[in-house]
Amino acid sequence: MRKWRLNFRVLSLFSLVAVLLAGCGEPFLSTLRPAGEVAEKQYSLMLLSTAIMVLVIIVVAIIFVYVVVRFKRCKGEEDVIPKQVEGNHKLEILWTVIPIILLVILAVPTVADTFKLADVKGMEKEDAIVVNVRANLYWWEFEYPNQKIITSQDLVVPTDTKVYFNVKASDVKHSFWIPSVGGKVDTNTENENKFWLVFDSEKAESANGLFYGKCAELCGPSHAYMDFKVKALPSEEFDTWVSDIKDVKPDVSTASAKAGEEIFTESCIGCHAVEAQDGRPEQARQAPNLAGFADRERIAGVLEHNEENLKQWLKNPEEIKPGNKMSNTYPDLTDEQVDQLTEYLLELKEK
């Protein structure tokens, strides 16, 4: 009895902790707060499937309780065999037809939405917003073929407009996921997956224009740090951003920043680019494009964007993102060189 009580207390404590942890986390990473047409459809299907499951559980529980109470074996009736229902055609038809009906109720909207969400014919239009997403260990590249620009880490999109995506990976399998805007889509090395999303302007405004993306496929030791930010802007502001990012050029006005530019040219330019209009083939783009770097929300996708964190990243990227491809690709930098390179990178502004 004492052991049973102990087990019950442990189970109760575990259940309480599980409930409390279920309430933790950030609201912008919740699929239960849809912020776009795709997310709304997927959320509706989640509600429908959950309602069906709850209904089945309730009905089964009621029948179970009724059977336990109604047909409880009483004293003196140990040898009494209850009436058997084997071969009862009405019951067999009932418990065969009902599940079929429930499956049809769920299948019809699921199939309809699947075909609708898979329709990407609109990306062939000249004015379509298309983004080629390339996943890498452990960063994201976003190429806008119609605008002829390339960025990294911060995805910028217009609101209330279909944004079409071609997603693929350059090394191992990843998965592109913006939880509050749409379901995850695998990025493969051997083929491209295509889909579209719509970013709701009202939800974007309430979220200060920011949504958050994750890699949803275990891809290596820094999988949990493979994040990206999404800036959802009104169409006019998006057009302005495109114009601004095309004109990004570092304003090297101090001797220290010029020294940093020289360091960058010697050690970094082989992988990185500092201009959004990057004409190199993707095989040569082995590291994030740094156009507009100073205006980004995060350093390396995870660190708060400030001078101290940038220096920390430059000194030891392996400490921040184990297994990244930047570690040990450039010579050790002195503190003075780190300061100079930091000053140069913080000059890479959109305006």
Side-chain angles (χ1 to χ4, degrees):
M1 178 64 73
R2 184 175 299 175
K3 184 178 180 180
W4 181 87
R5 287 179 179 174
L6 178 61
N7 291 337
F8 178 76
R9 289 175 182 173
V10 172
L11 180 61
S12 300
L13 179 61
F14 178 79
S15 301
L16 179 60
V17 171
V19 170
L20 292 175
L21 290 177
C24 297
E26 301 291 351
F28 49 70
L29 288 177
S30 175
T31 58
L32 304 181
R33 297 189 179 186
E37 182 179 346
V38 174
E40 290 283 358
K41 289 182 179 298
Q42 294 172 341
Y43 182 63
S44 297
L45 290 176
M46 289 170 58
L47 291 180
L48 177 60
S49 60
T50 301
I52 291 174
M53 288 186 289
V54 170
L55 175 63
V56 170
I57 290 173
I58 291 175
V59 171
V60 171
I62 291 174
I63 294 175
F64 174 78
V65 173
Y66 171 77
V67 170
V68 169
V69 175
R70 174 68 179 79
F71 299 102
K72 181 177 66 174
R73 177 172 290 178
C74 299
K75 188 175 181 180
E77 297 181 353
E78 289 83 356
D79 298 329
V80 176
I81 299 177
K83 180 181 178 182
Q84 302 300 296
V85 297
E86 182 181 357
N88 188 315
H89 296 305
K90 291 182 180 179
L91 285 177
E92 290 180 353
I93 291 174
L94 191 64
W95 60 50
T96 300
V97 171
I98 290 178
I100 292 175
I101 292 174
L102 293 178
L103 286 174
V104 169
I105 292 173
L106 180 60
V108 170
T110 299
V111 172
D113 285 347
T114 297
F115 277 95
K116 183 174 182 179
L117 298 180
D119 183 7
V120 292
K121 295 178 182 177
M123 71 165 47
E124 299 173 1
K125 298 179 180 178
E126 290 185 3
D127 59 346
I129 304 297
V130 179
V131 182
N132 296 330
V133 178
R134 189 163 63 101
N136 308 268
L137 293 170
Y138 298 94
W139 56 279
W140 298 88
E141 179 182 83
F142 307 112
E143 178 183 10
Y144 301 74
N146 292 342
Q147 287 74 25
K148 294 181 173 53
I149 57 176
I150 296 175
T151 67
S152 301
Q153 295 303 97
D154 281 14
L155 170 65
V156 182
V157 294
T159 56
D160 298 331
T161 302
K162 276 189 178 181
V163 181
Y164 295 93
F165 295 91
N166 295 309
V167 298
K168 62 181 178 180
S170 63
D171 34 51
V172 300
K173 191 183 189 72
H174 302 276
S175 188
F176 180 84
W177 187 31
I178 309 173
S180 58
V181 185
K184 57 188 177 182
V185 177
D186 284 346
T187 66
N188 305 315
T189 57
E190 67 277 3
N191 69 287
E192 290 185 356
N193 284 328
K194 304 176 186 291
F195 69 105
W196 57 269
L197 295 173
V198 175
F199 297 78
D200 184 84
S201 57
E202 293 183 4
K203 298 294 178 63
E205 185 176 354
S206 64
N208 296 320
L210 277 179
F211 296 103
Y212 294 76
K214 304 282 291 184
C215 174
E217 184 77 29
L218 181 59
C219 55
S222 290
H223 157 70
Y225 302 124
M226 194 170 166
D227 297 353
F228 62 94
K229 301 294 179 293
V230 185
K231 296 180 181 179
L233 306 175
S235 296
E236 299 80 9
E237 293 184 25
F238 174 77
D239 293 338
T240 301
W241 171 80
V242 171
S243 177
D244 289 342
I245 200 71
K246 284 183 177 180
D247 296 332
V248 167
K249 285 183 176 59
D251 182 15
V252 185
S253 56
T254 67
S256 180
K258 289 180 180 178
E261 183 178 30
E262 291 179 5
I263 296 171
F264 186 89
T265 303
E266 293 175 1
S267 305
C268 312
I269 200 67
C271 298
H272 292 280
V274 295
E275 296 183 1
Q277 293 178 300
D278 185 1
R280 297 177 302 166
E282 65 179 40
Q283 292 81 1
R285 304 195 300 263
Q286 299 179 24
N289 187 301
L290 299 179
F293 172 79
D295 298 306
R296 292 181 183 170
E297 294 290 326
R298 289 286 187 270
I299 293 172
V302 291
L303 297 176
E304 184 178 345
H305 202 294
N306 57 50
E307 185 175 333
E308 181 181 349
N309 285 338
L310 178 54
K311 291 179 181 179
Q312 181 184 357
W313 170 256
L314 293 173
K315 288 179 180 179
N316 191 0
E318 190 67 21
E319 182 182 4
I320 310 300
K321 278 187 174 181
N324 76 86
K325 293 183 177 181
M326 181 171 166
S327 297
N328 302 318
T329 59
Y330 56 94
D332 292 337
L333 303 173
T334 65
D335 289 342
E336 182 182 10
Q337 289 175 318
V338 169
D339 292 341
Q340 293 169 343
L341 186 55
T342 297
E343 185 171 343
Y344 169 71
L345 292 174
L346 292 179
E347 293 294 336
L348 302 176
K349 300 178 181 179
E350 294 178 8
K351 295 182 181 180

